[in-house]
Amino acid sequence: MKRLWLFFAGFALVALVIAGALSYFADSNPDGLDSATIEGCEVVETDAGEELRGDCIARNAGEHGMADSPLADYAVGGDSGFTGLAGVLGVLATFVVAGGLFWLLRPRSRSRSRS
């Protein structure tokens, strides 16, 4: 049982290090989904900012309903300097939710009543 707890503690430590430290090395402008959704459009600079011209999926995109939430865009309060903190908070929230579910759904031992 002790080895299992050591494994989970090590796993948690690695997850927190990856979320907290390595997230600063991630590209701030990943191109996978973004480049696929603007395929067929041209990005044009206007006085109001960037505008898409043409026919692409991204022209139908709107602001996400949780865009103003505290951890939106993988940052705390919109400050990209806190990307690691947002990652750590996300890992901790995942551990809390998963731990709560495992605790709720755990098999319970049946107590045998003696007659």
Side-chain angles (χ1 to χ4, degrees), residues 34-85:
D34 289 339
S35 66
T37 59
I38 64 169
E39 202 169 289
C41 281
E42 179 184 356
V43 181
V44 178
E45 276 298 323
T46 64
D47 292 337
E50 291 182 345
E51 182 181 305
L52 292 174
R53 294 194 179 147
D55 187 27
C56 63
I57 299 170
R59 290 201 59 196
N60 299 321
E63 196 64 37
H64 189 275
M66 297 184 72
D68 295 330
S69 69
L71 298 177
D73 291 332
Y74 305 107
V76 176
D79 186 352
S80 62
F82 292 115
T83 301
L85 179 59

Side-chain angles (χ1 to χ4, degrees), residues 85-112:
L85 179 59
V88 167
L89 291 173
V91 167
L92 292 175
T94 302
F95 284 157
V96 167
V97 170
L101 286 173
F102 282 123
W103 181 79
L104 267 173
L105 301 173
R106 75 188 185 282
R108 292 174 174 72
S109 61
R110 294 184 178 191
S111 60
R112 296 181 180 168

